[in-house]
Amino acid sequence: MRELHYGGGILIVGYEVCTAVFDYALALVRSGRSDLITVPVLVNGEVDESNLLLGPTTQIFCTPAGVTHPDLDDPAVVSDLRARIDGLHRPIMALSPDTATYPDFEFEY
């Protein structure tokens, strides 16, 4: 379990979720992008969800948590974050400015 310090508050998250959040935050910084994610958190002893806005200016850090809960390391959340990281590394295809090739596309200069 980890305490994820975010926006002046503390969220209790699972270790694997915390690692995936940090990896995704770093990938977003490197790509200059932002994203909204939802992660499982512990609130008053119960599992709930929290939304986090991650981007180039996000400042987060983790410390050990003094509590445990078996359901905070949601494999689906970790898998989703890993897929988002992979999606940031896909090559971007260049579009041709030839309007005959893309008749419905409007270019702005």
Side-chain angles (χ1 to χ4, degrees):
M1 305 289 291
R2 306 292 287 170
E3 289 183 348
L4 177 63
H5 300 258
Y6 172 87
I10 298 173
L11 304 169
I12 305 297
V13 298
Y15 183 84
E16 296 299 324
V17 168
C18 188
T19 300
V21 167
F22 266 77
D23 291 346
Y24 188 43
L26 180 59
L28 286 168
V29 167
R30 289 179 174 163
S31 68
R33 298 176 67 188
S34 299
D35 197 7
L36 179 67
I37 62 170
T38 302
V39 297
V41 297
L42 193 62
V43 179
N44 298 323
E46 299 291 325
V47 176
D48 205 340
E49 293 182 335
S50 182
N51 297 321
L52 303 173
L53 178 61
L54 300 177
T57 61
T58 301
Q59 296 180 6
I60 57 176
F61 67 95
C62 273
T63 56
V67 297
T68 61
H69 198 286
D71 296 329
L72 283 180
D73 271 326
D74 185 336
V77 171
V78 173
S79 178
D80 176 61
L81 292 172
R82 298 282 174 216
R84 290 179 190 219
I85 292 167
D86 290 343
L88 291 173
H89 295 103
R90 291 191 185 126
I92 298 172
M93 297 184 61
L95 295 176
S96 167
D98 178 20
T99 57
T101 304
Y102 303 100
D104 297 330
F105 190 82
E106 294 182 19
F107 288 91
E108 293 180 19
Y109 296 98

